[in-house]
Amino acid sequence: MKIFSRLFSSKKNLTIEELRKSTVPKHVAVIMDGNGRWASRHGLPRLAGHREGVKPLKRIVRLCSDLGIKYLTAYSFSSENWQRPKNEVSGLMQLFFETVVAELEELNKNGVRIVLIGNRNLIPQRVLKKFEDAEIITKNNNNVVLNIAFSYGSRQEILEAVKKACINITNKEIDINDIDESYFSKLLFTKNCPDPDLLIRTSGEFRISNFLLWQIAYSELYFTKTLWPDFSDAEFLKAIQDYQYRNRRFGKT
Ligand code: FPP
């Protein structure tokens, strides 16, 4: 019966107003995958796919604001992405730089707070400075928090947190027996936000790729074949609608 009602209701796409009547996720995380394939399908260089990929991100930030979703975390560049060909990496750095320059004013006007999560030591100074300026300029905004996962790897994040915990134990700031999940979560880059309720991955891949491994323990997962540059507003709303049908039990009955 549940399956039937699900199939039936999936025929009608709900509007933003209708979706707002039910529980919307507080935090959505997205793995924006498929830019390279989108580019090659259009006979374009890979970088054109990344450039096109900025558009759905902009639209989704706006939709989060309209829906009342308070946190959006976008996997923009992983720790492993540094190993891509030099020209793709430098093209992406230039794209991040230009995007912050082009979008900051509007994001700020719309109450979006930008937070960079990842290993800052590896990011070129010029690009890092733009992001850090954006963090300062938007730090009092509270409409939507946009976490940009950049030079981000979850295993690395967890390892760094373990090291911090060890230092705190050595310095007698905490007793080893007092280290619990809540304490540990506060040592991660995501210390100021709740765990994601929903994780979306585009492009037909069914993996997590070193993204928010600790934080997604109880997240709902949504996979779609759509390549990131083609990820439309309608499909984002569909993912939210799908989330609203999920029965979240957090291990309970
Ligand atoms: C993965 O697709 C995508 C990336 C590594 C880059 C994503 C970046 C953006 C969408 C720009 C965001 C901009 C800002 C300022 C946050 P892929 O290259 O792995 O695609 P493929 O699997 O088809 O090759």
Short mmCIF file of all heavy atoms in Angstrom, two decimals, residues 49-86:
data_model
loop_
_atom_site.label_atom_id
_atom_site.label_comp_id
_atom_site.label_asym_id
_atom_site.label_seq_id
_atom_site.Cartn_x
_atom_site.Cartn_y
_atom_site.Cartn_z
N GLY A 49 32.27 22.11 -18.72
CA GLY A 49 31.30 21.39 -17.88
C GLY A 49 31.30 21.94 -16.47
O GLY A 49 30.24 22.12 -15.86
N HIS A 50 32.48 22.22 -15.94
CA HIS A 50 32.55 22.78 -14.58
C HIS A 50 31.90 24.16 -14.56
O HIS A 50 31.18 24.51 -13.63
CB HIS A 50 34.01 22.88 -14.12
CG HIS A 50 34.70 21.54 -13.99
ND1 HIS A 50 34.13 20.49 -13.32
CD2 HIS A 50 35.89 21.08 -14.44
CE1 HIS A 50 34.94 19.44 -13.36
NE2 HIS A 50 36.02 19.78 -14.04
N ARG A 51 32.18 24.93 -15.61
CA ARG A 51 31.59 26.28 -15.68
C ARG A 51 30.06 26.19 -15.71
O ARG A 51 29.36 26.93 -15.02
CB ARG A 51 32.12 26.95 -16.95
CG ARG A 51 32.06 28.45 -16.97
CD ARG A 51 32.95 29.04 -18.07
NE ARG A 51 34.34 29.14 -17.66
CZ ARG A 51 34.82 30.08 -16.85
NH1 ARG A 51 34.03 31.00 -16.37
NH2 ARG A 51 36.10 30.10 -16.53
N GLU A 52 29.55 25.27 -16.48
CA GLU A 52 28.10 25.06 -16.57
C GLU A 52 27.55 24.60 -15.21
O GLU A 52 26.41 24.90 -14.85
CB GLU A 52 27.82 24.01 -17.66
CG GLU A 52 26.39 23.92 -18.12
CD GLU A 52 25.89 25.15 -18.87
OE1 GLU A 52 26.71 25.96 -19.36
OE2 GLU A 52 24.65 25.31 -18.94
N GLY A 53 28.41 23.89 -14.47
CA GLY A 53 27.99 23.34 -13.17
C GLY A 53 27.76 24.40 -12.10
O GLY A 53 27.15 24.10 -11.07
N VAL A 54 28.24 25.59 -12.33
CA VAL A 54 28.00 26.67 -11.35
C VAL A 54 26.50 27.04 -11.36
O VAL A 54 25.94 27.40 -10.33
CB VAL A 54 28.89 27.90 -11.66
CG1 VAL A 54 28.57 29.05 -10.70
CG2 VAL A 54 30.37 27.53 -11.59
N LYS A 55 25.88 26.92 -12.55
CA LYS A 55 24.48 27.38 -12.69
C LYS A 55 23.51 26.62 -11.78
O LYS A 55 22.75 27.25 -11.05
CB LYS A 55 24.03 27.30 -14.16
CG LYS A 55 24.81 28.23 -15.07
CD LYS A 55 24.37 28.09 -16.51
CE LYS A 55 25.28 28.92 -17.42
NZ LYS A 55 25.07 28.58 -18.84
N PRO A 56 23.52 25.26 -11.81
CA PRO A 56 22.58 24.59 -10.89
C PRO A 56 22.88 24.88 -9.42
O PRO A 56 21.95 24.97 -8.61
CB PRO A 56 22.77 23.09 -11.20
CG PRO A 56 23.89 22.98 -12.15
CD PRO A 56 24.16 24.33 -12.72
N LEU A 57 24.15 25.07 -9.10
CA LEU A 57 24.47 25.37 -7.69
C LEU A 57 23.82 26.69 -7.27
O LEU A 57 23.20 26.79 -6.22
CB LEU A 57 26.00 25.41 -7.50
CG LEU A 57 26.47 25.68 -6.07
CD1 LEU A 57 25.94 24.64 -5.10
CD2 LEU A 57 28.00 25.72 -5.99
N LYS A 58 23.93 27.69 -8.15
CA LYS A 58 23.32 28.99 -7.84
C LYS A 58 21.82 28.85 -7.64
O LYS A 58 21.23 29.40 -6.72
CB LYS A 58 23.55 29.95 -9.03
CG LYS A 58 24.86 30.68 -8.96
CD LYS A 58 25.09 31.50 -10.21
CE LYS A 58 24.06 32.61 -10.41
NZ LYS A 58 24.33 33.40 -11.61
N ARG A 59 21.20 28.07 -8.54
CA ARG A 59 19.74 27.91 -8.46
C ARG A 59 19.33 27.17 -7.19
O ARG A 59 18.31 27.47 -6.57
CB ARG A 59 19.22 27.20 -9.72
CG ARG A 59 19.25 28.11 -10.95
CD ARG A 59 18.54 27.51 -12.14
NE ARG A 59 19.39 26.56 -12.85
CZ ARG A 59 19.35 25.24 -12.70
NH1 ARG A 59 18.49 24.71 -11.87
NH2 ARG A 59 20.15 24.47 -13.39
N ILE A 60 20.16 26.20 -6.81
CA ILE A 60 19.80 25.40 -5.64
C ILE A 60 19.97 26.20 -4.34
O ILE A 60 19.19 26.05 -3.41
CB ILE A 60 20.55 24.06 -5.66
CG1 ILE A 60 19.85 23.20 -6.70
CG2 ILE A 60 20.56 23.35 -4.32
CD1 ILE A 60 20.62 22.07 -7.22
N VAL A 61 20.94 27.07 -4.32
CA VAL A 61 21.07 27.95 -3.14
C VAL A 61 19.77 28.75 -3.00
O VAL A 61 19.20 28.88 -1.91
CB VAL A 61 22.29 28.89 -3.27
CG1 VAL A 61 22.32 29.90 -2.14
CG2 VAL A 61 23.59 28.09 -3.30
N ARG A 62 19.28 29.26 -4.11
CA ARG A 62 18.05 30.04 -4.10
C ARG A 62 16.86 29.19 -3.64
O ARG A 62 16.04 29.61 -2.82
CB ARG A 62 17.83 30.62 -5.52
CG ARG A 62 16.51 31.33 -5.73
CD ARG A 62 16.30 32.43 -4.73
NE ARG A 62 17.24 33.53 -4.97
CZ ARG A 62 16.90 34.70 -5.47
NH1 ARG A 62 15.66 34.95 -5.77
NH2 ARG A 62 17.80 35.66 -5.64
N LEU A 63 16.80 27.96 -4.16
CA LEU A 63 15.70 27.07 -3.76
C LEU A 63 15.77 26.72 -2.28
O LEU A 63 14.74 26.61 -1.62
CB LEU A 63 15.74 25.77 -4.58
CG LEU A 63 15.24 25.86 -6.01
CD1 LEU A 63 15.42 24.51 -6.71
CD2 LEU A 63 13.76 26.26 -6.05
N CYS A 64 16.99 26.55 -1.76
CA CYS A 64 17.12 26.26 -0.31
C CYS A 64 16.51 27.41 0.47
O CYS A 64 15.79 27.20 1.44
CB CYS A 64 18.60 26.07 0.07
SG CYS A 64 19.24 24.48 -0.45
N SER A 65 16.81 28.62 0.04
CA SER A 65 16.26 29.79 0.72
C SER A 65 14.73 29.76 0.64
O SER A 65 14.03 29.94 1.63
CB SER A 65 16.85 31.03 0.06
OG SER A 65 16.16 32.16 0.45
N ASP A 66 14.19 29.49 -0.55
CA ASP A 66 12.72 29.47 -0.72
C ASP A 66 12.06 28.37 0.11
O ASP A 66 10.94 28.53 0.59
CB ASP A 66 12.36 29.25 -2.20
CG ASP A 66 12.79 30.43 -3.07
OD1 ASP A 66 13.11 31.49 -2.50
OD2 ASP A 66 12.83 30.28 -4.30
N LEU A 67 12.76 27.25 0.25
CA LEU A 67 12.16 26.10 0.96
C LEU A 67 12.38 26.16 2.47
O LEU A 67 11.77 25.41 3.22
CB LEU A 67 12.78 24.79 0.45
CG LEU A 67 12.30 24.28 -0.90
CD1 LEU A 67 13.30 23.30 -1.49
CD2 LEU A 67 10.93 23.61 -0.77
N GLY A 68 13.30 27.02 2.90
CA GLY A 68 13.63 27.07 4.33
C GLY A 68 14.68 26.05 4.73
O GLY A 68 14.78 25.69 5.90
N ILE A 69 15.48 25.59 3.77
CA ILE A 69 16.60 24.68 4.08
C ILE A 69 17.77 25.56 4.55
O ILE A 69 18.19 26.47 3.84
CB ILE A 69 17.00 23.86 2.83
CG1 ILE A 69 15.86 22.92 2.45
CG2 ILE A 69 18.31 23.09 3.06
CD1 ILE A 69 16.00 22.26 1.10
N LYS A 70 18.25 25.30 5.74
CA LYS A 70 19.19 26.23 6.36
C LYS A 70 20.65 25.98 6.01
O LYS A 70 21.50 26.87 6.15
CB LYS A 70 19.03 26.17 7.89
CG LYS A 70 17.77 26.86 8.37
CD LYS A 70 17.92 28.36 8.16
CE LYS A 70 16.70 29.15 8.50
NZ LYS A 70 16.81 30.54 8.03
N TYR A 71 20.98 24.75 5.63
CA TYR A 71 22.38 24.41 5.34
C TYR A 71 22.47 23.65 4.02
O TYR A 71 21.73 22.68 3.80
CB TYR A 71 22.98 23.52 6.43
CG TYR A 71 22.96 24.15 7.81
CD1 TYR A 71 21.84 24.04 8.63
CD2 TYR A 71 24.06 24.87 8.28
CE1 TYR A 71 21.81 24.63 9.89
CE2 TYR A 71 24.04 25.46 9.53
CZ TYR A 71 22.90 25.33 10.33
OH TYR A 71 22.88 25.92 11.58
N LEU A 72 23.40 24.08 3.17
CA LEU A 72 23.68 23.36 1.93
C LEU A 72 25.19 23.14 1.88
O LEU A 72 25.96 24.09 2.01
CB LEU A 72 23.23 24.20 0.73
CG LEU A 72 23.56 23.61 -0.65
CD1 LEU A 72 22.74 22.34 -0.92
CD2 LEU A 72 23.27 24.64 -1.76
N THR A 73 25.60 21.89 1.74
CA THR A 73 27.04 21.61 1.63
C THR A 73 27.32 21.05 0.24
O THR A 73 26.74 20.04 -0.16
CB THR A 73 27.48 20.61 2.72
OG1 THR A 73 27.19 21.18 4.00
CG2 THR A 73 28.98 20.33 2.64
N ALA A 74 28.19 21.74 -0.50
CA ALA A 74 28.46 21.38 -1.89
C ALA A 74 29.90 20.87 -2.04
O ALA A 74 30.84 21.58 -1.70
CB ALA A 74 28.23 22.60 -2.78
N TYR A 75 30.01 19.64 -2.53
CA TYR A 75 31.34 19.04 -2.73
C TYR A 75 31.93 19.63 -4.01
O TYR A 75 31.59 19.22 -5.12
CB TYR A 75 31.17 17.53 -2.87
CG TYR A 75 32.36 16.68 -2.48
CD1 TYR A 75 33.52 17.21 -1.92
CD2 TYR A 75 32.30 15.29 -2.64
CE1 TYR A 75 34.58 16.40 -1.54
CE2 TYR A 75 33.36 14.47 -2.26
CZ TYR A 75 34.50 15.03 -1.72
OH TYR A 75 35.54 14.23 -1.35
N SER A 76 32.79 20.60 -3.85
CA SER A 76 33.26 21.37 -4.99
C SER A 76 34.63 20.92 -5.49
O SER A 76 34.93 21.05 -6.68
CB SER A 76 33.36 22.85 -4.61
OG SER A 76 32.13 23.28 -4.09
N PHE A 77 35.44 20.42 -4.59
CA PHE A 77 36.80 19.98 -4.99
C PHE A 77 37.33 19.11 -3.86
O PHE A 77 37.46 19.56 -2.72
CB PHE A 77 37.69 21.21 -5.19
CG PHE A 77 39.00 20.91 -5.88
CD1 PHE A 77 39.08 20.90 -7.27
CD2 PHE A 77 40.14 20.63 -5.14
CE1 PHE A 77 40.29 20.63 -7.90
CE2 PHE A 77 41.35 20.36 -5.76
CZ PHE A 77 41.42 20.36 -7.15
N SER A 78 37.61 17.85 -4.20
CA SER A 78 38.02 16.92 -3.14
C SER A 78 39.53 16.94 -2.95
O SER A 78 40.28 17.41 -3.82
CB SER A 78 37.56 15.51 -3.49
OG SER A 78 38.34 15.00 -4.54
N SER A 79 39.97 16.37 -1.84
CA SER A 79 41.42 16.22 -1.59
C SER A 79 42.07 15.46 -2.74
O SER A 79 43.20 15.74 -3.12
CB SER A 79 41.66 15.41 -0.32
OG SER A 79 41.00 15.99 0.75
N GLU A 80 41.32 14.51 -3.30
CA GLU A 80 41.86 13.66 -4.38
C GLU A 80 41.88 14.42 -5.71
O GLU A 80 42.66 14.08 -6.60
CB GLU A 80 41.01 12.39 -4.51
CG GLU A 80 41.13 11.42 -3.33
CD GLU A 80 40.47 11.92 -2.03
OE1 GLU A 80 39.46 12.66 -2.11
OE2 GLU A 80 40.98 11.60 -0.93
N ASN A 81 41.03 15.43 -5.86
CA ASN A 81 40.99 16.18 -7.12
C ASN A 81 42.29 16.92 -7.43
O ASN A 81 42.53 17.29 -8.58
CB ASN A 81 39.83 17.18 -7.14
CG ASN A 81 38.46 16.56 -7.29
OD1 ASN A 81 37.44 17.13 -6.91
ND2 ASN A 81 38.39 15.34 -7.87
N TRP A 82 43.14 17.12 -6.42
CA TRP A 82 44.44 17.75 -6.70
C TRP A 82 45.26 16.92 -7.68
O TRP A 82 46.18 17.42 -8.32
CB TRP A 82 45.25 17.94 -5.40
CG TRP A 82 44.69 18.97 -4.46
CD1 TRP A 82 44.18 18.74 -3.22
CD2 TRP A 82 44.59 20.39 -4.67
NE1 TRP A 82 43.76 19.93 -2.65
CE2 TRP A 82 44.00 20.96 -3.52
CE3 TRP A 82 44.93 21.24 -5.73
CZ2 TRP A 82 43.75 22.32 -3.38
CZ3 TRP A 82 44.68 22.61 -5.60
CH2 TRP A 82 44.10 23.12 -4.44
N GLN A 83 44.93 15.62 -7.78
CA GLN A 83 45.71 14.75 -8.68
C GLN A 83 45.24 14.81 -10.13
O GLN A 83 45.77 14.11 -10.99
CB GLN A 83 45.62 13.30 -8.18
CG GLN A 83 46.41 13.09 -6.89
CD GLN A 83 45.85 11.94 -6.07
OE1 GLN A 83 45.38 10.97 -6.61
NE2 GLN A 83 45.88 12.09 -4.75
N ARG A 84 44.24 15.60 -10.42
CA ARG A 84 43.80 15.73 -11.81
C ARG A 84 44.86 16.48 -12.63
O ARG A 84 45.74 17.13 -12.07
CB ARG A 84 42.47 16.50 -11.86
CG ARG A 84 41.35 15.66 -11.31
CD ARG A 84 40.00 16.25 -11.63
NE ARG A 84 38.98 15.33 -11.16
CZ ARG A 84 37.70 15.39 -11.49
NH1 ARG A 84 37.27 16.34 -12.29
NH2 ARG A 84 36.84 14.51 -11.03
N PRO A 85 44.77 16.40 -13.98
CA PRO A 85 45.77 17.11 -14.80
C PRO A 85 45.89 18.58 -14.39
O PRO A 85 44.88 19.21 -14.03
CB PRO A 85 45.23 16.97 -16.22
CG PRO A 85 44.33 15.78 -16.18
CD PRO A 85 43.77 15.70 -14.78
N LYS A 86 47.13 19.07 -14.48
CA LYS A 86 47.43 20.43 -14.01
C LYS A 86 46.50 21.49 -14.58
O LYS A 86 46.04 22.38 -13.88
CB LYS A 86 48.87 20.78 -14.44
CG LYS A 86 49.85 20.79 -13.30
CD LYS A 86 51.12 21.47 -13.75
CE LYS A 86 52.08 21.53 -12.56
NZ LYS A 86 53.43 21.30 -12.91
#
